[in-house]
Amino acid sequence: KETFKKGHRFRCEHSSPADVVLLVDGSWSIGRSNFKLIREFLVNFITPFHVAADKVRIALSQYSGDPRTEWNFTQYPTKEETVAAARNLRYKGGNTFTGLALTHIQEEILLNEAGAKPETPKFVILLTDGKSQDDANVSSQSLKDSEVEIFAVGVKNADEAELRQIASEPLEKHVYNVPDFPQLRSLVVNLTRALCTRMVERTASLGVTDK
């Protein structure tokens, strides 16, 4: 079955369960005007997927000096609710502690007790505009050792080497970097296509047939 819906806008036809955490840098270096572009990016990212309680579920954590769970996997079970939450995401402000944020989502969002589904492919999409002020290597490796797949998206002053250390292999499919916030629009299709493909591949590796 064809996974990609052709037409003006890309749509991921994968409809088996997958859990996706959006991890969004909300530090002061981004600025309020650019944070509006981040909201737009999030809406465009969510829209192509079959978001539902028994299909693709999306959680979001915003971080700076301290990470904050904006919503977990069970709070917004429909695409409409998830998109509305992304449109209304409030800018946090603060520093850039990416390592702490990655630990937070592993300990607070990706637990079965917090609503994550066992035996379900899990993905993290990190969006940041700068180098982390703490070590992100240990926490990112811990996630990857737990079979959580990480896509790293850098904007403006993001550290390319750090993104490559955080992201899963192969790096050419998991690392994205753009020079400024307006260019986020240009990478959404490539990112959502890559994630959609990995959802299909991970589901197949679990022996589950896409519905």
Side-chain angles (χ1 to χ4, degrees):
K1 174 183 156 182
E2 190 179 29
T3 305
F4 305 130
K5 187 77 174 177
K6 293 178 180 175
H8 178 60
R9 291 196 172 191
F10 165 69
R11 193 167 83 215
C12 180
E13 292 296 287
H14 177 77
S15 57
S16 289
D19 284 349
V20 180
V21 182
L22 293 165
L23 181 58
V24 179
D25 182 348
S27 58
W28 288 130
S29 57
I30 288 170
R32 293 189 184 280
S33 59
N34 287 327
F35 200 75
K36 291 177 183 175
L37 296 174
I38 287 179
R39 287 193 201 101
E40 178 187 294
F41 167 82
L42 294 172
V43 169
N44 291 336
F45 174 89
I46 294 164
T47 301
F49 294 99
H50 279 288
V51 179
D54 61 342
K55 296 181 173 65
V56 177
R57 303 188 306 164
I58 296 176
L60 189 143
S61 178
Q62 185 181 176
Y63 76 97
S64 50
D66 57 326
R68 178 171 75 196
T69 300
E70 300 288 354
W71 67 83
N72 61 24
F73 290 122
T74 59
Q75 194 166 344
Y76 299 121
T78 68
K79 182 186 297 187
E80 291 74 21
E81 289 172 297
T82 309
V83 165
R87 284 203 174 105
N88 293 315
L89 184 64
R90 294 180 66 180
Y91 181 36
K92 190 174 187 305
N95 297 310
T96 309
F97 288 92
T98 307
L100 183 64
L102 290 164
T103 299
H104 170 81
I105 61 175
Q106 184 167 25
E107 294 180 351
E108 301 290 335
I109 297 178
L110 288 168
L111 293 179
N112 295 341
E113 307 92 88
K117 288 182 178 176
E119 303 302 316
T120 296
K122 293 175 175 61
F123 303 89
V124 170
I125 313 298
L126 168 68
L127 175 62
T128 182
D129 82 322
K131 183 174 175 59
S132 179
Q133 292 167 263
D134 64 351
D135 181 12
N137 288 345
V138 173
S139 50
S140 61
Q141 191 58 54
S142 178
L143 282 165
K144 288 181 279 191
D145 290 345
S146 302
E147 298 188 339
V148 177
E149 195 163 330
I150 305 174
F151 290 77
V153 180
V155 193
K156 208 165 184 176
N157 298 315
D159 186 288
E160 175 84 21
E162 185 174 73
L163 295 176
R164 294 171 71 85
Q165 287 176 329
I166 291 170
S168 298
E169 299 275 358
L171 296 178
E172 61 271 17
K173 297 288 187 185
H174 291 86
V175 178
Y176 300 81
N177 211 350
V178 291
D180 210 345
F181 289 90
Q183 281 80 50
L184 280 172
R185 292 190 189 103
S186 66
L187 68 76
V188 170
V189 172
N190 287 341
L191 176 61
T192 51
R193 280 181 182 275
L195 176 58
C196 183
T197 297
R198 289 299 297 142
M199 284 179 177
V200 173
E201 292 169 350
R202 293 276 301 274
T203 298
S205 73
L206 290 171
V208 179
T209 304
D210 194 10
K211 295 169 189 172

